[in-house]
Amino acid sequence: MSSESTQGTTTLQDAPVILGHRHLLGLRGWSRPEIAHVLATAREFRDVLSRPIRRVPTLRGVTVVNLFFEASTRTRISFELAEKRLSADTVNFTASGSSVSKGETLKDTARNIEAMKIDVVVIRHASPGAPHFLTRCVDAVVINAGDGAHEHPTQGLLDLLTITDHFPEVRGRRISIIGDITHSRVARSNLYGLTAMGAEVTLCGPPTLIPPGIEGLVESGSVRVTHRLDEALDGCDVAMALRIQLERLGRQLFPSLREYHERFGIRMEHLERYKDLLVMHPGPVNRGVELAGDVVDHERAVILDQVTNGVAVRMAVLFLLSGGTAEA
Ligand code: CP
């Protein structure tokens, strides 16, 4: 079976794709076969996670440090779980309570940590490009767990895995990303990942939250922009709502949260009108803003499936970037 298969039966031994990347800094530049290989590997790890003993010795002897300079619930717990399930040794770092509060630079923090013989660094940072900078300071493999408004590649991969659970072939599927595109690293990683896999992407939100010319970020011509929610949902397979990032807005970019919900929030009336529509959200959700509360809890909202898939995807990324080629 080809490594491009999106079915769940591909084994690692059947998948000869070699990733052309030492680090995972973003999904920009990742090819369809590379992404499909990560997803196929994640499906195998998902099988591991459904066994009575959810642990494999795959990364025994590998040491991973989780450097979180910014708040996180899902990504951080999910990386920690993925590392434990793979039997890696893990160290957790948060900026508060560390020497960062005494003025230590990112470079010095990273080099001091690496001096303790670290193999992989997982980093979340408020500054776009912090993971790229880190690759120039340390020899360890670097995985971006979200850098400012730039990229969040493991979120893009887990979103793709969730989509392929419902639509095994992503090519030609219509995915709408709705909300604060300007400040969203999730939007960018999904834009690169989805278009690499052949999806048609619609970006929807108020003009103040969509950067002019964003369609040009990808060359495929498969991205369009609309400021009307109904245009984004009509004929759409998956609606991906994004969190309004009040902490990053800095100024008033739309009149009120209530008005935002009325114009761009997905409500029960949309699920009733678009009968097959799946709803995704990377979390954390502002209930009653991006999604009505009853939509969050609806069976066609696959938000918790996204979270579950995050562990398997992060296991796959850790495994493949640590040089893994064997069967899980
Ligand atoms: N989706 C996501 O990145 O969530 P956290 O900020 O909780 O990690």
Side-chain angles (χ1 to χ4, degrees):
M1 183 178 288
S2 156
S3 62
E4 280 205 50
S5 167
T6 53
Q7 303 298 322
T9 51
T10 308
T11 69
L12 300 184
Q13 288 179 339
D14 293 337
V17 173
I18 305 291
L19 298 182
H21 310 267
R22 179 157 183 259
H23 310 282
L24 177 58
L25 304 177
L27 290 185
R28 187 175 198 172
W30 280 60
S31 67
R32 177 178 159 99
E34 288 173 327
I35 292 173
H37 185 46
V38 176
L39 300 183
T41 308
R43 285 188 200 96
E44 295 219 2
F45 282 122
R46 203 162 53 178
D47 292 344
V48 170
L49 294 173
S50 65
R51 294 178 193 161
I53 297 175
R54 291 168 288 183
R55 187 185 282 260
V56 283
T58 316
L59 290 194
R60 191 173 284 158
V62 173
T63 304
V64 184
V65 62
N66 301 306
L67 289 183
F68 278 72
F69 292 88
E70 223 193 21
S72 170
T73 299
R74 281 145 287 269
T75 311
R76 183 173 167 179
I77 292 175
S78 168
F79 264 112
E80 285 180 35
L81 265 179
E83 291 149 13
K84 287 186 192 335
R85 301 290 188 230
L86 290 168
S87 305
D89 297 318
T90 64
V91 187
N92 297 315
F93 167 97
T94 42
S96 60
S98 74
S99 290
V100 171
S101 57
K102 300 177 194 162
E104 188 168 62
T105 64
L106 172 60
K107 179 176 179 176
D108 284 335
T109 300
R111 292 187 69 187
N112 276 276
I113 289 172
E114 194 179 48
M116 300 177 218
K117 308 291 178 208
I118 298 295
D119 302 297
V120 181
V121 178
V122 175
I123 177 169
R124 169 167 288 195
H125 202 284
S127 299
H132 303 67
F133 173 73
L134 213 54
T135 62
R136 298 198 291 275
C137 310
V138 299
D139 288 331
V141 167
V142 176
I143 299 175
N144 181 1
D147 61 330
H150 176 237
E151 279 222 44
H152 191 352
T154 55
Q155 179 73 44
L157 291 166
L158 73 87
D159 289 342
L160 271 166
L161 182 60
T162 307
I163 291 170
T164 60
D165 288 339
H166 297 268
F167 304 105
E169 177 51 84
V170 176
R171 197 185 293 282
R173 288 291 167 190
R174 297 169 79 174
I175 318 291
S176 292
I177 306 177
I178 299 153
D180 180 1
I181 310 294
T182 298
H183 300 94
S184 176
R185 51 197 177 208
V186 176
R188 275 165 195 73
S189 287
N190 267 294
L191 194 58
Y192 295 128
L194 286 165
T195 54
M197 298 304 282
E200 291 172 25
V201 177
T202 297
L203 302 175
C204 175
T208 47
L209 294 180
I210 302 189
I214 191 163
E215 308 94 302
L217 274 184
V218 292
E219 289 167 9
S220 65
S222 54
V223 180
R224 68 174 184 131
V225 170
T226 177
H227 305 299
R228 290 176 51 93
L229 182 61
D230 275 328
E231 271 182 22
L233 297 183
D234 193 25
C236 166
D237 296 301
V238 179
M240 194 180 283
L242 299 176
R243 184 171 70 88
I244 292 296
Q245 305 195 35
L246 295 168
E247 76 278 18
R248 288 192 214 274
L249 291 185
R251 62 196 168 101
Q252 191 86 16
L253 293 175
F254 49 84
S256 69
L257 291 176
R258 188 167 65 84
E259 187 167 322
Y260 179 88
H261 182 66
E262 279 168 16
R263 289 200 55 203
F264 297 101
I266 301 178
R267 302 180 296 279
M268 278 309 292
E269 68 195 67
H270 298 113
L271 292 188
E272 283 156 15
R273 196 176 315 151
Y274 305 108
K275 299 265 179 238
D276 297 321
L277 184 69
L278 279 189
V279 177
M280 297 174 66
H281 192 299
V285 178
N286 294 310
R287 277 179 186 255
V289 181
E290 305 96 42
L291 302 175
D294 45 7
V295 170
V296 176
D297 301 324
H298 196 275
E299 61 183 13
R300 279 192 273 136
V302 293
I303 299 166
L304 294 179
D305 296 341
Q306 292 171 259
V307 177
T308 303
N309 281 334
V311 180
V313 156
R314 288 168 179 131
M315 287 173 82
V317 167
L318 287 160
F319 167 71
L320 292 170
L321 293 181
S322 303
T325 54
E327 202 160 353

